[in-house]
């Protein structure tokens, strides 16, 4: 399977990417288009969407992305239409709005559906089956993936085995719909790049991959916190990436993100041959959500111009 081959090749690929040497005249120099495309993750607007006084819903998301942010590809979050996964009338209207606007639906980020690596077999099976409707909704909307979590319990190796089992079973169902199952580094061992990369390889499913997030590398909080190196983590996850999440919080006077060196990070992303969508996920609080999205977009555009 492709994942097994990728895993065997991983060490050399990772080493090449971590050098981060200044790129010479690479394939991008001759490319006639930008080295990657920009999309918008719905979580960037979570404050607006959760605030009932704003009267903004998931149905408005494609229009906001296109008309307010100048972005023509969107990544949904299931929390904002949790009861609509099986509602073909609702999904049909959402799809029509996207079609009318010329907006492309890329994926649905799925939370709150159970632990795909739950140590209890019945609970794990229930979690797998809970995601089926989101696979079908993603297919209906024209998405390529659903983003899931790899939460589990037990030792390092036990969690890998359990999460791989749940992900494999879900991916087998999703494969029948031509949908990918992609895992974000999203806390716990999933924020350990080596663990998540190995877990994906263990599924041995071509449609099971990763969604590397630039900022979610806190493995453990509390009195004995553990934070994984974000550049190392993204490098480890990129061989399996089917999407990328550009997390942003704050910006300096020059428009650079203060937590992540976007030029260094995107160098890693591109060295792995990735040229798909990079989704903006703004989570800051010093400027408005719309302004934060625009600042992130401007930064990504500067990165693209430099690396093209």
């Amino acid at each position: 399977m492709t994942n097994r081959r990728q895993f065997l090749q991983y060490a050399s690929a990772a080493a090449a990417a971590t050098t981060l040497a200044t790129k010479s005249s690479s394939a991008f120099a001759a490319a006639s288009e930008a080295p990657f495309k920009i999309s918008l993750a719905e979580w960037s607007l979570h404050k607006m969407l959760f605030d009932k006084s704003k009267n903004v819903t998931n149905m408005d998301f494609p229009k906001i992305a296109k008309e307010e942010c100048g972005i023509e590809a969107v990544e949904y979050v299931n929390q904002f239409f949790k009861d609509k996964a099986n509602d073909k009338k609702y999904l049909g209207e959402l799809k029509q709005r996207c079609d009318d606007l010329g907006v492309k639906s890329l994926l649905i980020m799925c939370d709150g559906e159970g632990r795909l690596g739950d140590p209890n077999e019945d609970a794990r099976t229930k979690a797998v089956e809970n995601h089926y409707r989101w696979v079908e909704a993603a297919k209906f909307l024209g998405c390529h993936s659903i983003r899931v979590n790899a939460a589990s319990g037990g030792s390092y190796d036990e969690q890998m085995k359990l999460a791989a089992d749940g992900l494999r079973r879900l991916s087998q169902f999703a494969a029948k719909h031509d949908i990918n199952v992609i895992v974000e580094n999203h806390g716990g061992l999933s924020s350990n790049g080596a663990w998540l990369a190995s877990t994906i390889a263990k599924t041995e499913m071509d449609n099971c991959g990763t969604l590397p997030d630039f900022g979610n590398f806190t493995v453990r909080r509390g009195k004995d916190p553990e934070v994984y190196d974000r550049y190392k983590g993204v490098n480890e996850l990129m061989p399996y990436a089917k999407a990328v999440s550009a997390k942003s919080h704050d910006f300096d006077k020059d428009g650079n993100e203060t937590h992540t060196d976007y030029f260094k990070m995107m160098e890693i992303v591109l060295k792995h041959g990735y040229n798909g969508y990079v989704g903006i996920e703004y989570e800051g609080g010093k400027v408005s959500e719309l302004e934060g999205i625009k600042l992130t977009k401007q930064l990504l555009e500067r990165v693209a111009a430099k690396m093209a």
Side-chain angles (χ1 to χ4, degrees):
M1 298 295 250
T2 299
N3 274 333
R4 185 182 295 277
R5 291 197 301 270
Q6 288 176 329
F7 187 65
L8 292 172
Q9 297 166 353
Y10 167 71
S12 59
T18 46
T19 59
L20 297 179
T22 302
K23 193 164 68 225
S24 60
S25 54
S26 67
F28 295 134
S32 59
E33 58 183 33
F36 58 88
K37 299 176 282 290
I38 297 174
S39 54
L40 180 62
E42 192 169 19
W43 192 252
S44 299
L45 299 168
H46 70 276
K47 294 175 185 175
M48 185 185 301
L49 287 158
F50 281 132
D51 186 345
K52 300 301 182 183
S53 69
K54 300 293 186 183
N55 199 31
V56 176
T57 71
N58 178 68
M59 198 67 77
D60 302 308
F61 176 44
K63 184 176 182 179
I64 293 172
K66 175 70 175 286
E67 298 185 356
E68 298 290 334
C69 306
I71 297 173
E72 299 181 349
V74 295
E75 304 171 9
Y76 304 101
V77 173
N78 72 338
Q79 293 182 52
F80 301 118
F81 58 123
K82 191 79 176 210
D83 60 341
K84 304 297 185 183
N86 296 321
D87 189 335
K88 291 300 189 288
K89 181 179 179 181
Y90 177 91
L91 295 176
E93 182 179 345
L94 180 59
K95 186 176 187 300
Q96 188 61 56
R97 289 195 183 195
C98 287
D99 290 344
D100 291 344
L101 289 162
V103 169
K104 184 177 181 62
S105 297
L106 299 181
L107 57 91
I108 303 174
M109 298 186 177
C110 302
D111 299 302
E113 297 292 0
R115 298 192 296 173
L116 288 170
D118 199 297
N120 180 284
E121 186 171 352
D122 289 340
R124 188 164 70 256
T125 296
K126 184 66 165 62
V128 169
E129 293 174 348
N130 284 347
H131 285 83
Y132 287 175
R133 63 183 181 270
W134 293 110
V135 169
E136 294 167 344
K139 180 65 175 180
F140 185 93
L141 290 171
C143 300
H144 62 70
S145 301
I146 62 167
R147 188 279 280 146
V148 304
N149 298 297
S152 185
S155 70
Y156 185 101
D157 290 337
E158 288 170 341
Q159 291 193 50
M160 184 182 298
K161 178 182 177 181
L162 292 167
D165 175 67
L167 289 169
R168 182 187 304 111
R169 289 156 62 189
L170 178 56
S171 296
Q172 288 169 342
F173 176 84
K176 299 174 185 177
H177 300 270
D178 296 319
I179 294 294
N180 298 312
V181 174
I182 58 179
V183 185
E184 180 180 359
N185 44 300
H186 213 196
L189 278 175
S190 77
S191 290
N192 178 311
W195 180 89
L196 183 52
S198 296
T199 299
I200 298 302
K202 197 173 182 65
T203 70
E204 297 189 328
M205 292 294 297
D206 291 343
N207 67 321
C208 189
T210 61
L211 191 163
D213 183 293
F214 293 175
N216 288 348
F217 283 101
T218 300
V219 177
R220 185 175 57 249
R221 300 180 186 277
K223 295 181 179 179
D224 183 28
E226 179 183 350
V227 179
Y228 205 79
D229 181 88
R230 67 185 62 199
Y231 304 102
K232 180 176 184 287
V234 168
N235 182 50
E236 290 168 329
L237 298 178
M238 281 309 302
Y240 309 97
K242 298 181 185 296
V244 171
S245 182
K247 180 65 59 61
S248 60
H249 289 89
D250 302 306
F251 302 86
D252 63 21
K253 61 182 178 62
D254 296 317
N256 294 311
E257 216 282 332
T258 59
H259 301 85
T260 301
D261 181 336
Y262 266 50
F263 291 90
K264 178 179 179 179
M265 190 67 87
M266 286 305 301
E267 183 84 11
I268 295 171
V269 169
L270 298 179
K271 278 180 177 285
H272 282 279
Y274 183 85
N275 62 357
Y277 283 94
V278 175
I280 293 171
E281 191 172 57
Y282 173 70
E283 287 190 342
K286 294 182 179 178
V287 298
S288 71
E289 290 178 314
L290 289 176
E291 182 62 24
I293 291 167
K294 292 173 184 177
L295 286 169
T296 311
K297 181 170 180 277
Q298 290 166 8
L299 176 54
L300 284 171
E301 289 170 341
R302 284 198 289 122
V303 170
K306 180 177 180 180
M307 297 185 174

